[in-house]
Amino acid sequence: MKGKTVIYPGSFDPFTNGHLNIIARASEIFEKIIISVGHNTSKKTTLSTEERVSLIAEVTKSYPNVEVESFEGLLVDYIRKKETNTILRGMRCHSDFEYELQMATANKLMNEEVETLFMVTESQFSHISSSLIKEIISLGGSAKGFVPAVIEEKLIEKLCPAEERRKQ
Ligand code: PNS
């Protein structure tokens, strides 16, 4: 039996195969997953919000119980307007823990109805991070296996223009 709707928030700049694996597994557990593209003030994004929403929608289109949208402002304010109080986050390694604990605790203090659930990233994806992928691509490397192909193409277009690729 599947239970309720969850919000899967993140900056997703870009959405990786690790994120996709969480979606694949979570879609078997939850009735509905809303992937919510938000703004992390400590990160400068490469892809616009519209690009991230549209790429994520494309790579998750085979999951009928997954929706994608963006939100502005605080996650706890956005979640008040949704049909759920539950946030889902992936946890890759122990260094994620401190940041995740801080966020989950701050969100709970701001809105006591909010619950944060964690899914452990499968080991073959635990090395993948959005920033590492951007660095690899900007230096002309291949991120095949790290991100869906359509997302890799968009990142190459943005981070490693044809002129630079010719030189490599
Ligand atoms: O993928 P990320 O960058 O770890 O996702 C972080 C995100 C976007 C979920 C977080 O920064 C967020 O919730 N941003 C919205 C603003 C907010 O509520 N900030 C306070 C978080 S305690």
Side-chain angles (χ1 to χ4, degrees), residues 135-155:
E135 183 173 331
I136 291 169
I137 291 181
S138 67
L139 296 171
S142 164
K144 195 165 174 286
F146 293 6
V147 276
V150 62
I151 295 184
E152 186 184 15
E153 277 164 33
K154 175 58 84 179
L155 288 173

Side-chain angles (χ1 to χ4, degrees), residues 2-4 6 26-33 65 88 117:
K2 289 183 186 175
K4 75 188 291 180
V6 284
S27 69
E28 297 289 324
I29 301 169
F30 300 103
E31 240 157 49
K32 186 162 131 191
I33 301 155
N65 56 344
L88 176 69
L117 302 181

Side-chain angles (χ1 to χ4, degrees), residues 9-12 38-40 43 71 73-75 89 99 103 106-107:
S11 35
F12 305 122
H39 183 51
N40 181 339
K43 292 180 181 168
F71 70 97
L74 285 174
L75 179 56
R89 294 279 292 174
Y99 168 60
M103 256 198 322
N107 284 333

